[in-house]
Amino acid sequence: MVVVNLVIPLLAKWCSAIIIAAIFSEVCKMLDPGKPSFTPKKGKTSVVMFVGLQGMFGKTTTCTNYGYYHKKKGWKPALVCADIFRAGAFDQLKQNASKAKNPFYGSYMESDPVKIAVEGVERFKKENYDLIIVNTSGRHKQEAALFEEMCQVSEATKPDLVIFVMDSSIGQAALDQAQAFKQSIAVGAVIVTKMDGHAKRGGALSAVAATKSPIIFIGTGEHMDEFEVFDVKPFVSRLLGMVDWSGFMDKIHEVVPMDQQAELLQKLSEGSFTPRIMDMLKRSFTPSELVWLRELLSDFGIPAIVLALKLHP
């Protein structure tokens, strides 16, 4: 009886590990359609067109973040506002472009988005910008006229890549919308926004399955630096509630000075949060990343309540 009592829990853990590993493998396959997306090349002009749903889904912000990310890597990005449908889109993109110190093209007076897009693309090509980002109006699958407009902009500007921006918080509702976009235009990649907090990340599975296109970036907040390259394994780890150790180490190497990394890791492993360590964390991580760090460390057995009090932005 004693042996049975010992063996049963071990078998349960073993079976659970096998199931989780199988699910992890299958979800990774779902999120990897097996084909890479178009990658812009420095010094060679590329046109990237952004499409997405109408509403507060982060498409305009994502255009800026995409440009800012590539600017830091050495590209010369420029932004074109072909969104004439949403009030405030012009001002928002212009303001964001100014913050990122990227050139911007748009018009208060022109009502033809195709003309705006073509003029903006031609202008920036002449000025030798190598990454021209075109923001289009958001739309729903029921709006046939807006979908036709989207196709006209695409035909006129001939983008090298069309990116579908999806709000992760809408969950499975993304499926029908993503299918409608894929049927109308050649979607080449997906960017998933609002990945901070407890967003319904499973919606990303629907979008990828429908578009048969890879996720290339995820947005974790409104700030320009809250935007990261998509890595399928850490993403699925977080989706399934598993510890994202590789993602944690990558982030440490990225934001913490080399000569401070060993001390920080040692203190974190001990659960020792001195004022100096807390200051180091707050200087190195954004507020949303601190929340992620709190959740991650709690998985390692460090009391979540302590971290909640000390790391709360």
Side-chain angles (χ1 to χ4, degrees):
M1 181 63 70
V2 174
V3 174
V4 171
N5 289 338
L6 290 173
V7 169
I8 288 178
L10 290 175
L11 285 174
K13 277 191 173 183
W14 180 68
C15 291
S16 176
I18 291 176
I19 293 170
I20 292 174
I23 294 174
F24 179 84
S25 176
E26 289 304 312
V27 175
C28 285
K29 289 178 183 178
M30 288 179 66
L31 287 173
D32 183 2
K35 61 176 183 178
S37 71
F38 170 83
T39 302
K41 294 181 179 179
K42 294 176 188 175
K44 182 180 179 181
T45 300
S46 299
V47 178
V48 178
M49 177 175 163
F50 277 70
V51 301
L53 303 179
Q54 179 186 346
M56 301 301 290
F57 299 114
K59 178 170 56 62
T60 301
T61 298
T62 301
C63 286
T64 310
N65 294 351
Y66 181 83
Y68 181 71
Y69 171 87
H70 284 86
K71 183 175 183 177
K72 291 191 297 181
K73 301 292 184 181
W75 273 266
K76 290 177 58 182
L79 296 163
V80 178
C81 181
D83 182 355
I84 63 166
F85 186 78
R86 181 172 71 85
F90 177 94
D91 291 326
Q92 182 188 354
L93 190 60
K94 184 177 181 180
Q95 183 179 20
N96 289 350
S98 178
K99 287 180 181 178
K101 294 182 172 55
N102 287 331
F104 167 84
Y105 183 86
S107 174
Y108 278 119
M109 307 302 295
E110 180 58 58
S111 60
D112 183 357
V114 177
K115 185 176 181 181
I116 294 172
V118 169
E119 289 178 352
V121 169
E122 289 179 350
R123 172 182 168 179
F124 289 132
K125 280 184 176 180
K126 289 177 182 177
E127 295 177 2
N128 295 319
Y129 286 92
D130 55 9
L131 184 59
I132 303 172
I133 301 164
V134 181
N135 183 34
T136 64
S137 301
R139 59 211 76 221
H140 288 292
K141 66 173 184 174
Q142 294 88 350
E143 298 167 326
L146 283 177
F147 267 89
E148 177 60 29
E149 173 193 289
M150 176 181 69
C151 294
Q152 290 173 0
V153 172
S154 177
E155 290 171 5
T157 59
K158 295 179 173 53
D160 298 284
L161 176 64
V162 176
I163 296 177
F164 174 60
V165 180
M166 192 204 76
D167 178 349
S168 65
S169 67
I170 67 174
Q172 295 303 314
L175 178 58
D176 291 344
Q177 299 292 345
Q179 287 175 332
F181 276 91
K182 183 64 175 181
Q183 290 167 3
S184 301
I185 197 168
V187 173
V190 178
I191 294 179
V192 186
T193 65
K194 297 186 181 178
M195 291 300 295
D196 53 320
H198 299 284
K200 300 173 184 177
R201 300 184 180 112
L205 304 181
S206 299
V208 173
T211 63
K212 294 182 173 60
S213 303
I215 299 174
I216 54 174
F217 290 95
I218 56 175
T220 57
E222 290 293 319
H223 300 291
M224 286 186 289
D225 58 350
E226 295 178 323
F227 188 75
E228 59 190 62
V229 174
F230 177 75
D231 190 341
V232 64
K233 290 184 178 179
F235 176 87
V236 175
S237 293
R238 295 198 294 267
L239 181 68
L240 299 178
M242 299 163 64
V243 174
D244 180 17
W245 179 246
S246 64
F248 171 67
M249 292 304 299
D250 288 344
K251 194 65 185 176
I252 289 291
H253 292 319
E254 177 186 344
V255 303
V256 179
M258 181 69 71
D259 60 347
Q260 299 177 18
Q261 291 178 10
E263 179 189 3
L264 176 59
L265 291 171
Q266 179 65 32
K267 294 296 184 183
L268 290 180
S269 67
E270 296 170 353
S272 176
F273 297 96
T274 63
R276 182 168 178 274
I277 293 299
M278 296 312 305
D279 181 63
M280 189 188 304
L281 289 172
K282 289 177 180 178
R283 282 187 288 106
S284 301
F285 293 88
T286 64
S288 63
E289 288 169 344
L290 286 175
V291 174
W292 170 77
L293 179 61
R294 180 192 65 205
E295 295 173 350
L296 179 68
L297 294 179
S298 69
D299 286 339
F300 282 104
I302 298 175
I305 186 64
V306 174
L307 290 171
L309 291 173
K310 291 182 177 288
L311 293 181
H312 194 279

